[in-house]
Amino acid sequence: MTIQTHTPADVPAKNTKNTTGLIADAPDRDKGKDGRGATTVADGVVAKIAGIAIQEIPGVHALGGGAARAIGNLREKVGQKDLTQGVNVEVGQTQVAVDVTLVVEYPHPLQEVADNARNAVYTAIEDLVGMEVTEVNVTITDIHVPSEDADADDAEREPRVA
């Protein structure tokens, strides 16, 4: 879990008494707190936001490596989709680093899909979570060729000749 330590700009810092008994601003002591409580964001929430953002990118076929996708397919068959599959996050106090594993649809340009995925993660986390994204590392493990699906369907059909 992560506690956000930035103060909203529209809320003044909490006033406290100093050693002389006078009220003084104490932004260092209450760093990141506005006197109304702290916000905690779980790592899984950040990963899920990144996963959702990436799935909307044209050219992204799936998230995760081979084993993760196989387990993901089983989960989908029982009605549970893992939106964090293929997404690993490292969340600090105010910053986030993200690692993403993708399968890209052929013939989309790999670098373009990776750049679009990276931009989507930056935007989603910074806008929705309010934390700074330090880096988004994208690993492309495979490409999906649409004819592979047609070949799988052909294998399940009855042969046309005996």
Side-chain angles (χ1 to χ4, degrees):
M1 295 248 197
T2 302
I3 298 175
Q4 288 185 310
T5 58
H6 63 282
T7 303
D10 57 342
V11 179
K14 185 177 178 183
N15 291 334
T16 59
K17 291 185 178 182
N18 61 18
T19 55
T20 62
L22 300 173
I23 295 177
D25 289 335
D28 292 336
R29 190 179 141 244
D30 289 332
K31 185 176 182 183
K33 296 187 175 116
D34 59 9
R36 299 186 305 162
T39 302
T40 303
V41 180
D43 296 359
V45 172
V46 176
K48 191 176 279 190
I49 288 170
I52 292 169
I54 292 169
Q55 290 177 350
E56 297 174 357
I57 301 301
V60 173
H61 176 71
L63 294 169
R69 288 194 328 262
I71 293 170
N73 286 338
L74 291 173
R75 278 192 186 133
E76 284 185 34
K77 289 185 183 199
V78 296
Q80 295 177 340
K81 185 169 182 171
D82 183 10
L83 297 173
T84 63
Q85 174 182 307
V87 179
N88 293 314
V89 296
E90 186 177 331
V91 183
Q93 293 295 317
T94 61
Q95 296 178 327
V96 178
V98 182
D99 296 320
V100 178
T101 304
L102 298 177
V103 176
V104 177
E105 292 178 358
Y106 181 82
H108 290 272
L110 302 182
Q111 192 61 48
E112 182 180 313
V113 173
D115 288 342
N116 290 341
R118 186 175 291 111
N119 291 338
V121 170
Y122 269 96
T123 301
I125 291 175
E126 289 178 351
D127 290 350
L128 297 175
V129 182
M131 298 179 81
E132 177 187 1
V133 179
T134 58
E135 65 182 7
V136 177
N137 300 311
V138 178
T139 303
I140 300 172
T141 58
D142 199 2
I143 59 169
H144 176 261
V145 180
S147 65
E148 289 176 355
D149 289 338
D151 292 343
D153 291 341
D154 289 343
E156 294 174 4
R157 290 186 199 153
E158 293 183 31
R160 295 186 335 173
V161 293

